[in-house]
Amino acid sequence: DDLRTCSDTALTSIIRERPSDAKRSVPVVCLVYGGGVNSLQTVQEHLQAHDPILVVQGTGRAADLLFDWKLLYAECRRVKKQGKAPWVQNERMRTKARAWLLNNTDLCLDENLSQDSKLLELEIGELCKQLDKIVEYPRLHFVNVSPGDDFSERAAILNEAHASILPTMLEAITASSTILQKV
């Protein structure tokens, strides 16, 4: 009963380490729809592979964290360009990272134990660095899901209202060496 998911690093390394003549080159797009801590790791792996990343905002957890982080990060950069120190923006980012970690991991905070507090602060710092790197990625794209959409509509996101993801999909398709050879 050993099930593996696409976020499994062993499976990823097996696929990426195959000799190039044994690889089957297919278009790859990382789709973030909800997700948790493992999803953020998967996004990081796709970022390193230079794959386009498509985040469906409004689907919760990791997807919404990435969208919110992108907004906070842009606000922080705007304040820096004005020659000011982004103290408030940095605090908002750390607060968001802290809340997300406490809600989405098994980390817990016992205010009486300084060890727990130190561990949490290290995790917050690492998450902030990881999120900064992800939102700086130029091939990161967002698509919005209307709050009134039901699941069936969200599952079929390739419709007129969500046409903004088509350039990302086409980018991934044309990046496939198999398809490029045919074109």
Side-chain angles (χ1 to χ4, degrees), residues 1 22-23 31 33 42 46 59 71 75 81-82 86 88 91 98 100 119 125 132 136 143 151-153 156 166 170 172:
D1 291 357
K23 288 182 182 177
L31 178 68
Y33 189 96
T42 300
H46 283 277
T59 57
L71 296 177
E75 183 181 339
K81 282 183 182 179
Q82 294 172 351
V88 172
E91 186 56 35
R98 181 182 195 276
W100 196 86
L119 176 63
D132 285 350
E136 289 174 346
V143 62
F151 179 76
S152 62
E153 288 181 37
L166 292 178
L170 291 173

Side-chain angles (χ1 to χ4, degrees), residues 170 173-183:
L170 291 173
I173 290 168
T174 58
S176 164
S177 59
T178 302
I179 294 173
L180 281 179
Q181 290 170 2
K182 292 179 181 176
V183 173

Side-chain angles (χ1 to χ4, degrees), residues 59-70:
T59 57
R61 301 183 61 206
D64 288 349
L65 174 65
L66 288 171
F67 178 71
D68 292 344
W69 199 268
K70 181 77 171 181

